[in-house]
Amino acid sequence: MPRNILLSTFVLLGLQAVALGQSVTLSLGSTTGTAGGTVVLPINLASAGGAQTAGLQWTFTYSSDITGVTVAQGSSTTAAGKNLSCSGNNCLIVGFNSTVIADGPVATATFQISGAPSNNPITIQLTSVVAS
């Protein structure tokens, strides 16, 4: 019988200019899944204080309980005319334009859960976040 696994996430601040009161936050949703299955999580952008993001970069960090990840471009990325590119666990959203990426889903990540995970919950982090 498959057992439910909780995937938990940490949100890391991508950019914060305290003097100007601007901030950009990149966050990963959370959900439950089953051993040997996949889970799909949105990656969302939230800006405050007038911040205007034109590009993003991040790295996924997780244990061996996650055996792979694929990432698809989100609606905010597409609407801004940007492209998503990932190499391993490192992802980059850029474009040859200065269009601001609107708050909302910039990507969707599909994580493959190990058939016999050793941790419950499984933690996935967005690290090395950079917003420009």
Side-chain angles (χ1 to χ4, degrees), residues 70-83:
T70 57
V71 186
Q73 192 161 295
S75 59
S76 292
T77 299
T78 302
K82 309 294 182 181
N83 293 304

Side-chain angles (χ1 to χ4, degrees), residues 11-81:
V11 177
L12 296 174
L13 188 61
L15 169 73
Q16 185 173 19
V18 177
L20 300 175
Q22 295 180 344
S23 66
V24 174
T25 303
L26 195 60
S27 63
L28 183 63
S30 63
T31 191
T32 58
T34 57
T38 60
V39 293
V40 179
L41 299 174
I43 301 170
N44 291 302
L45 174 69
S47 304
Q52 297 183 333
T53 303
L56 289 165
Q57 177 180 321
W58 71 88
T59 300
F60 292 108
T61 303
Y62 46 78
S63 71
S64 59
D65 292 333
I66 299 294
T67 59
V69 61
T70 57
V71 186
Q73 192 161 295
S75 59
S76 292
T77 299
T78 302

